[in-house]
Amino acid sequence: MQLSLATRLAYVFSVVSTALSNPTGERQCHLDTPNSSAFPLLDDITIEDLHVLFDNGSLTSVNLVRAYMERIVEVNPMLRAVGELNPDALDIARALDVERSMGRVRGYDNIATKDQMNNTAGSYALLGAKVSRESSVVTRLRVAGAIILGKATMGQWAQCRSRKASSSHGWSSYGGQVLGAYYPQQDPSGSSSGSAVAISIGLAIGSIGTETSGSIVNPAEKSNVVGFKPTLGLTSRDMVIPISLRQDTTGVIGRTVKDAAYMLTAIAGKDSFDNRTSTQPYEVTPDYVKSCNHLGLKGARVGIPRNGIDFHLDPSTKPVMAAFEKAIQTVRDAGARVIEEANFSSYDAPAFARNSSIVLDTDFVAGLSDYLAQLVANPNDIHSLSDVARFTRSHPHEQYPDRDTYVWDRQLGRNITNSSPESWAAYQANLVMGGEQGVVGALDRHKLDALIMPTFAAFHLPAIAGLPIVSVPLGFYPAQTALRMNLKKTMVSVAPNIPFGISLVGRKWSEEKLISLAYAFEQRTMIRRQMKPYIRPTFELSDQLEPAEGTPYKLKVQYRAPIADQPKLAYRIMARTISRLTSIRGWLWSVFGPTQSLL
């Protein structure tokens, strides 16, 4: 049983000013404007690219934020990756531009921000609720010079509401249905769905998500980007709407391994509001960017736990496994020693699924109440899971009973708590299965640096044992692939051109090694560049419109009908694309009005 239960409402953010080293690789731009050589495409640009543009005066924070907001407003009606835009983003950008002009250069919807944005977990139940303080991770990002552009649409309550056949990855009543960008009506996976889709098409430079079991790495692989879930305790979960404090981990999504390393460096560290971070072995957090080594695979020992892969094979995984075997040869060619059959001593998926059900059910009931108790404004009077269930069943936009509350019914029906012996026993059993019988045992027996697996099979044991995992692009389903729908029959989960990933899994606190290995693989393959999304924003840095001061960019907070019911929006996007191609953007504005009217 696959548990894909994590990410709370994540941030789409732009790093606007960083004290970074110079870019290490050459880039090519393909903009169709006279000044195209000045700017990389926004769906390819990296943090180091932005550093160079800021340093040479080609770019300001305001112009970067405007460009991202233009792109969000352009494609969000089709993909719904972003749930809210930050109304303060342009003001923050102006302030950072002033800082830079004075010589100060900074280092570079379930996570709470203390600003005008909502923190809803995708539900109308928490609309208008206010938090007592901002999430520690967000504070770290702001200190590092990041602008929080908005909040990405997530799978409602981190996919922790309905049975799989009753709902869909990336759907929430507040944000609508997120769709992947590589095939029409693509299942984006979940629950950090919008976080991954937004990065795949250049709506921001990076995003934050949370993972309980697969909710960073699974959406990352389906959007052809890098997803990194670190060791439990490396990053704070303070003011994150929880599923399980015994599994939840805040992580990062970026287009490259190095961008992910920059973001992880920014958010990692101890936090007095999250006791789990006190287990870190560091007084000073490592600079993970220094681990990006082109020769990272040379001399490394990596193992393939075939029994942990074989359990998850089905006809749809054949193209993935073909690409995986090819990747293993690439790893060998890079100088790594690959150990075949580095198997887990035990891999009882049904058992850890049963245990996880007990752990997550009991943790969610307790953890949600603890989070709700910290709200300073609670307009819908939501104080417990029972209150959430009551609200959901009575609010028309929550789509009950079409999307059921099976998971909550099960959770509320248990006669145990997260401190009961049954819950503790299930948790301890999972630690053993994920650790000494699973990942850690295999690493130790074979003296390995990491395990390597297709992402679809890799995330389960790291989730229950609190171990780090990074997923990088591996390939794409071939042209002859037969379509496969999700269980609700509303989205396409397998089809030509849909991406998939490969993952590296390590011991606790082995992030530096995993980044080194992942970076070396990425640089030798550059798989992300081999396929472009079928839908991409047309607005680029060279297209600055210079709107009047204070012009707002807004995503209307209202119920959104299914995308199939919005043919006019598809027409408007097409019209905008034609407008850009024919260099008569003014025609679009005169006919359809200002950009924000597209939503």
Side-chain angles (χ1 to χ4, degrees):
M1 174 181 179
Q2 177 173 307
L3 297 173
S4 184
L5 293 178
T7 237
R8 279 34 88 187
L9 203 55
Y11 298 91
V12 181
F13 66 89
S14 168
V15 176
V16 298
S17 170
T18 51
L20 311 178
S21 59
N22 288 330
T24 57
E26 295 183 359
R27 303 189 55 79
Q28 294 184 355
C29 303
H30 301 284
L31 299 177
D32 54 358
T33 62
N35 297 321
S36 65
S37 61
F39 300 112
L41 294 171
L42 279 171
D43 54 4
D44 291 328
I45 204 166
T46 68
I47 290 174
E48 291 186 346
D49 290 335
L50 292 179
H51 168 74
V52 172
L53 294 173
F54 284 129
D55 272 4
N56 66 24
S58 300
L59 185 64
T60 66
S61 301
V62 168
N63 284 342
L64 179 62
V65 169
R66 283 175 176 166
Y68 278 136
M69 287 188 168
E70 284 284 337
R71 289 169 71 85
I72 291 168
V73 171
E74 182 180 353
V75 300
N76 212 58
M78 303 296 292
L79 302 179
R80 297 199 185 98
V82 180
E84 285 193 45
L85 286 175
N86 185 358
D88 300 322
L90 282 171
D91 289 337
I92 297 169
R94 292 185 186 99
L96 287 170
D97 282 339
V98 171
E99 281 190 9
R100 193 179 304 106
S101 71
M102 298 173 66
R104 182 185 177 192
V105 180
R106 300 195 188 205
Y108 91 66
D109 152 53
N110 60 343
I111 306 173
T113 52
K114 198 167 178 58
D115 51 25
Q116 298 185 61
M117 291 186 290
N118 287 284
N119 191 48
T120 66
S123 170
Y124 278 91
L126 295 184
L127 187 62
K130 298 298 181 183
V131 295
S132 56
R133 65 178 181 276
E134 186 166 75
S135 165
S136 299
V137 165
V138 176
T139 300
R140 285 178 179 270
L141 287 172
R142 294 193 198 276
V143 170
I147 293 176
I148 309 302
L149 283 176
K151 292 193 176 183
T153 308
M154 61 176 285
Q156 189 181 57
W157 297 106
Q159 310 297 158
C160 186
R161 166 185 158 175
S162 307
R163 71 185 81 213
K164 292 179 182 178
S166 178
S167 193
S168 51
H169 290 135
W171 176 87
S172 70
S173 60
Y174 184 62
Q177 177 62 66
V178 181
L179 296 174
Y182 281 83
Y183 194 86
Q185 210 67 17
Q186 181 197 335
D187 185 337
S189 193
S191 59
S192 298
S193 312
S195 298
V197 172
I199 302 313
S200 74
I201 55 175
L203 304 187
I205 193 67
S207 64
I208 303 298
T210 58
E211 177 160 325
T212 308
S213 185
S215 282
I216 290 174
V217 296
N218 287 348
E221 76 158 337
K222 294 303 180 185
S223 283
N224 196 28
V225 292
V226 176
F228 202 127
K229 188 214 84 163
T231 303
L232 179 62
L234 183 66
T235 55
S236 174
R237 290 89 44 84
D238 172 50
M239 296 309 293
V240 175
I241 299 175
I243 295 297
S244 169
L245 288 181
R246 291 184 280 194
Q247 287 189 205
D248 292 347
T249 307
T250 307
V252 299
I253 297 175
R255 284 186 289 275
T256 68
V257 173
K258 185 172 281 189
D259 278 1
Y262 274 115
M263 290 184 278
L264 185 60
T265 301
I267 68 172
K270 295 180 179 179
D271 177 21
S272 61
F273 291 113
D274 185 350
N275 288 335
R276 179 71 73 160
T277 62
S278 65
T279 63
Q280 293 179 24
Y282 315 114
E283 290 305 318
V284 177
T285 304
D287 180 352
Y288 293 109
V289 181
K290 293 180 179 179
S291 298
C292 293
N293 179 4
H294 286 269
L295 300 178
L297 285 166
K298 187 174 182 179
R301 289 176 61 87
V302 296
I304 307 173
R306 294 287 180 180
N307 62 340
I309 298 172
D310 292 347
F311 180 86
H312 301 281
L313 297 180
D314 63 34
S316 72
T317 61
K318 288 182 179 179
V320 183
M321 291 307 298
F324 176 73
E325 300 303 340
K326 183 178 178 181
I328 293 304
Q329 187 56 52
T330 299
V331 170
R332 288 191 174 100
D333 293 343
R337 173 81 182 275
V338 178
I339 310 301
E340 290 279 355
E341 305 296 337
N343 287 338
F344 304 129
S345 60
S346 174
Y347 191 76
D348 189 345
F352 68 67
R354 289 191 299 271
N355 290 331
S356 293
S357 176
I358 296 171
V359 171
L360 303 190
D361 285 358
T362 55
D363 279 359
F364 184 51
V365 173
L368 179 61
S369 294
D370 290 344
Y371 172 84
L372 295 171
Q374 299 181 75
L375 297 178
V376 296
N378 192 345
N380 290 317
D381 200 28
I382 305 296
H383 301 281
S384 66
L385 180 58
S386 295
D387 292 339
V388 173
R390 169 187 51 78
F391 180 95
T392 299
R393 291 169 187 145
S394 62
H395 197 290
H397 293 167
E398 296 292 331
Q399 296 190 15
Y400 179 85
D402 178 59
R403 297 177 187 268
D404 64 34
T405 56
Y406 169 81
V407 176
W408 297 344
D409 298 339
R410 184 187 68 209
Q411 293 169 337
L412 292 169
R414 291 191 186 275
N415 295 317
I416 58 175
T417 68
N418 66 339
S419 60
S420 297
E422 296 92 332
S423 181
W424 180 253
Y427 173 59
Q428 291 298 311
N430 268 0
L431 289 181
V432 172
M433 281 191 277
E436 62 191 66
Q437 292 179 354
V439 174
V440 177
L443 292 171
D444 289 347
R445 282 193 304 277
H446 299 281
K447 297 181 174 59
L448 302 174
D449 295 299
L451 300 178
I452 188 167
M453 306 171 71
T455 298
F456 72 79
F459 64 90
H460 306 83
L461 296 188
I464 63 177
L467 303 174
I469 175 174
V470 57
S471 176
V472 298
L474 172 61
F476 310 86
Y477 279 97
Q480 69 274 17
T481 300
L483 268 62
R484 177 174 172 178
M485 304 298 289
N486 68 340
L487 292 177
K488 195 172 174 62
K489 307 300 181 186
T490 56
M491 293 189 294
V492 179
S493 57
V494 175
N497 302 340
I498 289 181
F500 45 77
I502 189 170
S503 287
L504 291 153
V505 180
R507 298 174 178 83
K508 288 184 177 181
W509 322 117
S510 65
E511 282 78 8
E512 290 168 285
K513 174 57 70 174
L514 294 184
I515 287 171
S516 179
L517 299 174
Y519 181 80
F521 177 81
E522 173 196 61
Q523 294 300 302
R524 290 183 72 91
T525 58
M526 301 304 289
I527 289 167
R528 173 173 164 73
R529 297 181 179 179
Q530 296 175 10
M531 187 73 66
K532 292 294 184 182
Y534 85 94
I535 181 170
R536 301 161 66 193
T538 61
F539 196 90
E540 296 292 346
L541 289 173
S542 57
D543 294 333
Q544 287 298 325
L545 295 175
E546 297 298 336
E549 288 292 307
T551 298
Y553 294 85
K554 293 183 179 179
L555 303 183
K556 293 180 182 177
V557 179
Q558 62 184 25
Y559 175 68
R560 297 172 176 88
I563 195 69
D565 297 337
Q566 300 187 27
K568 291 181 180 179
L569 291 175
Y571 172 76
R572 291 178 183 180
I573 294 296
M574 180 180 69
R576 180 171 181 138
T577 303
I578 294 172
S579 173
R580 183 175 190 276
L581 291 174
T582 56
S583 300
I584 51 173
R585 181 179 292 277
W587 169 80
L588 174 73
W589 279 61
S590 64
V591 174
F592 294 114
T595 310
Q596 54 263 40
S597 69
L598 294 180
L599 285 170

